[in-house]
């Protein structure tokens, strides 16, 4: 019994470690550093909140509403797996990143 409990504790530690080490991978950003850092924080917070049940639509709505309040209106957000894009947007307002296997595209139109 002690070994099962010890393995259980080790497994929880490994899961916590994976969660802590999960970071976003920025594929492209032309945002200023401060704006980009805030945007990445908002995106990771939204995905952490909704990723357990893969509710990407709710995550994108949360990201869009937060961006509209913080950085002004007319933001567009796409969240999901396996999508491509070709967009026109304002300069200095584009962010494309991956959080695990989920892609996030944020831009101001």
């Amino acid at each position: 019994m002690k070994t099962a409990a010890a393995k259980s504790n080790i497994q929880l530690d490994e899961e916590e470690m994976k969660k802590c080490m999960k970071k976003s991978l920025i594929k492209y950003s032309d945002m200023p550093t401060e704006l980009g850092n805030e945007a990445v924080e908002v995106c990771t917070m939204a995905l952490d909140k909704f990723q357990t049940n893969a509710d990407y639509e709710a995550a994108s709505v949360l990201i869009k509403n937060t961006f509209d309040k913080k950085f002004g209106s007319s933001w567009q957000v796409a969240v999901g797996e396996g999508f491509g894009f070709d967009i026109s947007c304002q300069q200095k307002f584009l962010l494309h990143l991956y959080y695990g296997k989920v892609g996030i595209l944020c831009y101001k139109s």
Side-chain angles (χ1 to χ4, degrees), residues 90-103:
Q90 293 183 21
Q91 288 185 341
K92 306 292 183 193
F93 291 103
L94 173 65
L95 174 67
H96 180 220
L97 66 114
Y98 285 93
Y99 189 65
K101 62 180 181 173
V102 180

Side-chain angles (χ1 to χ4, degrees), residues 1-45:
M1 284 190 148
K2 286 185 179 181
T3 57
K7 286 181 182 178
S8 174
N9 288 339
I10 290 171
Q11 186 178 18
L12 288 176
D13 291 338
E14 288 176 5
E15 289 175 9
E16 289 177 18
M17 186 79 123
K18 286 179 184 177
K19 187 174 181 180
C20 291
M21 294 183 73
K22 188 174 186 178
K23 294 196 177 198
S24 55
L25 171 66
I26 299 173
K27 291 294 281 184
Y28 180 80
S29 175
D30 66 354
M31 293 180 171
T33 306
E34 188 174 311
L35 178 67
N37 290 340
E38 284 187 56
V40 169
E41 285 180 26
V42 170
C43 292
T44 55
M45 177 269 309

Side-chain angles (χ1 to χ4, degrees), residues 76-95:
Q76 308 298 320
V77 178
V79 178
E81 300 174 27
F83 66 89
F85 60 92
D86 184 17
I87 59 168
S88 297
C89 64
Q90 293 183 21
Q91 288 185 341
K92 306 292 183 193
F93 291 103
L94 173 65
L95 174 67

Side-chain angles (χ1 to χ4, degrees), residues 60-91:
S60 64
V61 168
L62 178 62
I63 294 168
K64 182 197 178 346
N65 291 339
T66 305
F67 278 21
D68 284 346
K69 289 177 186 170
K70 279 188 162 189
F71 312 125
S73 62
S74 67
W75 281 91
Q76 308 298 320
V77 178
V79 178
E81 300 174 27
F83 66 89
F85 60 92
D86 184 17
I87 59 168
S88 297
C89 64
Q90 293 183 21
Q91 288 185 341

